[in-house]
Amino acid sequence: MNKVLSVLVDILREPSILVALMALIGLLAQKKKLPDIIKGTTKTFVGFLVIAAGAGILQNALAPFGDMFQHAFHVKGVVPNNEAIVAIALTKYGTNTALIMFFGMIANILIARFTRFKYIFLTGHHTLYMACMIAVIMTVAGFTTAPLIILGAIALGIIMSLSPAMLQPFMRKLTGNDNVALGHFGGVGYALSGLVGKAVGGKNPKSTEDINFPKGLGFLRDSTVSIALTMAVIYIIVALFAGPSYIQGHLSNGQNYIVFSLIQAGTFAAGVFIILSGVRLVLAEIVPAFKGISTKIVPNAKPALDCPIVYPFAPNAVLIGFFSSFVGGIVSMLIMTFTGGVIILPGVVPHFFTGATAGVLGNATGGVRGSVIGSFVNGILISFLPVFLMPVLGDLGFANSTFSDADFGVAGIFLGSLANHGGKGAIIVGILVVLAIMFLFNFLKKAKDMNSNIKA
């Protein structure tokens, strides 16, 4: 049984396999010719592997930056990182996580089929992380066996449906159409960034992509060049504070610390370039393939894809969002230092991926100001939410890491608060009430559409 679950998790946690399967189903549903099916499925699969490769390169380039930053400024505390906390949790909660993940994906499809929340969440690794967090909280609350799996799966399906739905107005603004959704559990932070952008952008906000560089600096319009040069400056400044002895002794294998910093900056830019290439490849295939699912299986369904899907729409906002979110994390860390209690260190990886996405959506609604302020607010949000999440995770709350992105904090605090104040009964009622509201919304929407048709 455990071997079957292990294989199942390995398949479902891989966005490349998951999205390729969805593309295959969509193309089969459209009764496409065999060569078209093979082409569309393969290019979708390869495209997501390209995105994953770019993300891996980025993380490898950012890891030493985080170490350099902590050593340079002598800070210690909890570093939010989904991969780290899930790796710890799966040793104890692996079976429950796998079952919640599998049935949660089925719940997501059923919700999409029978309600107005037509979003199929396809970011497999984030589904795994959320399933793991739910498994931990439900276990701490006292649930076991079937009730734990059933309620956990329903909760996961609800979150997988609501997160993309909340972001779709901003995605329509960004993309100019309603073809694709954002499936990444930083949704609350992204929505907040979009709302901040609306508030601060004014009537005709200037986009980050319309920044006018002097003629002599025209080369900075190339996002690869601007990202590489900007990151080189940042890396070298932090490296100077960290000192050559630490970097050459612990990080660079003896390589000169300035040379090492330049290589990491260039590697970071290469990772972004690879991600953007992969996104373009996937979008060209998954949207047409998904028409089969949206017409035959789940009418009007939209694929909810990982956050790098938005990066090509505003490459400058990607870098601006990262820096602004990271600054928000530093400000939050300073506040925590002076107020006492748990100190959440700014994790470079979550601040890049969520900050960049918040920057793009903030730019879509509020231009440069929306990108800067919106992603800064995201940085503060993902710094303080873990403080309130950690107490509801039981023994896992005392680990050196915790879940990083905003939706984990919001969902975990909601479920944990229900457990603390009303026990298992409150969790059952809370989950079922949210599900009932989703179906009620569906009923009200249908009634409104019928009235509109009658008046017409």
Side-chain angles (χ1 to χ4, degrees):
M1 180 65 179
N2 285 335
K3 288 184 178 180
V4 173
L5 287 174
S6 176
V7 173
L8 186 64
V9 169
D10 284 344
I11 292 173
L12 297 180
R13 74 189 295 181
E14 273 296 334
S16 55
I17 296 177
L18 190 60
V19 178
L21 285 173
M22 285 294 176
L24 174 63
I25 293 169
L27 292 167
L28 289 171
Q30 294 178 74
K31 297 181 180 178
K32 292 286 187 180
K33 293 180 181 179
L34 182 61
D36 293 331
I37 292 172
I38 294 173
K39 175 189 168 187
T41 304
T42 303
K43 289 183 78 172
T44 302
F45 175 64
V46 172
F48 259 84
L49 288 177
V50 171
I51 294 173
I57 290 171
L58 272 179
Q59 292 194 36
N60 289 336
L62 288 171
F65 181 84
D67 294 336
M68 287 159 57
F69 181 86
Q70 290 182 48
H71 179 81
F73 301 105
H74 308 290
V75 289
K76 291 184 179 180
V78 175
V79 181
N81 183 284
N82 293 326
E83 288 76 14
I85 194 69
V86 168
I88 297 170
L90 284 179
T91 58
K92 184 176 180 181
Y93 304 97
T95 300
N96 288 337
T97 295
L99 291 170
I100 288 174
M101 181 180 181
F102 177 73
F103 290 109
M105 294 178 74
I106 294 174
N108 175 219
I109 293 170
L110 291 174
I111 290 171
R113 177 66 180 82
F114 295 109
T115 75
R116 293 292 178 112
F117 297 89
K118 304 292 185 181
Y119 306 97
I120 308 295
F121 196 97
L122 295 177
T123 308
H125 62 293
H126 255 224
T127 306
L128 173 72
Y129 301 160
M130 186 64 78
C132 182
M133 188 191 73
I134 291 171
V136 172
I137 293 174
M138 299 291 277
T139 302
V140 172
F143 287 97
T144 57
T145 59
L148 187 151
I149 305 303
I150 294 169
L151 288 167
I154 294 172
L156 179 59
I158 289 171
I159 298 166
M160 292 168 74
S161 302
L162 288 181
S163 182
M166 171 178 56
L167 297 172
Q168 198 58 14
F170 306 106
M171 287 296 289
R172 282 194 291 268
K173 176 79 173 174
L174 175 68
T175 63
N177 58 57
D178 206 22
N179 294 334
V180 68
L182 181 55
H184 190 266
F185 289 135
V188 173
Y190 308 149
L192 192 57
S193 180
L195 292 173
V196 168
K198 277 187 177 182
V200 303
K203 288 185 178 180
N204 297 301
K206 181 179 180 180
S207 171
T208 56
E209 309 315 296
D210 296 330
I211 295 174
N212 293 319
F213 295 102
K215 285 186 178 180
L217 299 177
F219 60 88
L220 291 176
R221 290 184 182 278
D222 187 314
S223 60
T224 302
V225 175
S226 61
I227 288 171
L229 293 178
T230 305
M231 289 303 295
V233 172
I234 298 297
Y235 260 102
I236 289 173
I237 290 173
V238 175
L240 290 172
F241 278 97
S245 58
Y246 173 75
I247 294 173
Q248 292 169 197
H250 295 84
L251 301 176
S252 71
N253 251 347
Q255 186 179 45
N256 178 272
Y257 72 115
I258 298 296
V259 174
F260 175 76
S261 300
L262 289 172
I263 294 296
Q264 297 309 308
T267 302
F268 179 94
V272 173
F273 180 84
I274 292 169
I275 285 175
L276 298 181
S277 301
V279 167
R280 294 186 186 100
L281 181 61
V282 169
L283 283 179
E285 299 298 329
I286 190 64
V287 173
F290 217 79
K291 287 180 181 177
I293 293 174
S294 64
T295 55
K296 302 283 186 181
I297 303 169
V298 182
N300 302 314
K302 298 173 185 64
L305 304 174
D306 202 354
C307 64
I309 214 77
V310 305
Y311 295 173
F313 292 95
N316 289 343
V318 169
L319 198 58
I320 290 171
F322 167 41
F323 288 140
S324 298
S325 183
F326 192 71
V327 170
I330 293 173
V331 170
S332 301
M333 179 187 70
L334 293 174
I335 294 171
M336 294 174 197
T337 301
F338 287 113
T339 57
V342 177
I343 297 175
I344 302 296
L345 300 183
V348 183
V349 171
H351 278 290
F352 173 75
F353 285 103
T354 70
T357 309
V360 172
L361 294 187
N363 177 64
T365 58
V368 176
R369 280 182 290 179
S371 183
V372 172
I373 301 174
S375 49
F376 177 82
V377 171
N378 172 79
I380 292 175
L381 185 69
I382 66 170
S383 299
F384 279 97
L385 280 176
V387 174
F388 301 99
L389 174 64
M390 291 170 67
V392 306
L393 295 177
D395 293 340
L396 200 64
F398 297 100
N400 290 325
S401 186
T402 188
F403 294 93
S404 58
D405 305 343
D407 291 359
F408 292 100
V410 172
I413 292 166
F414 174 73
L415 292 172
S417 297
L418 289 176
N420 290 337
H421 292 96
K424 292 191 288 184
I427 288 185
I428 295 170
V429 171
I431 292 172
L432 295 180
V433 165
V434 174
L435 187 63
I437 290 172
M438 294 174 72
F439 277 92
L440 179 63
F441 176 81
N442 189 51
F443 173 78
L444 294 174
K445 197 79 170 162
K446 281 184 178 179
K448 184 178 179 182
D449 291 345
M450 287 178 64
N451 288 333
S452 299
N453 292 334
I454 291 171
K455 290 178 181 178

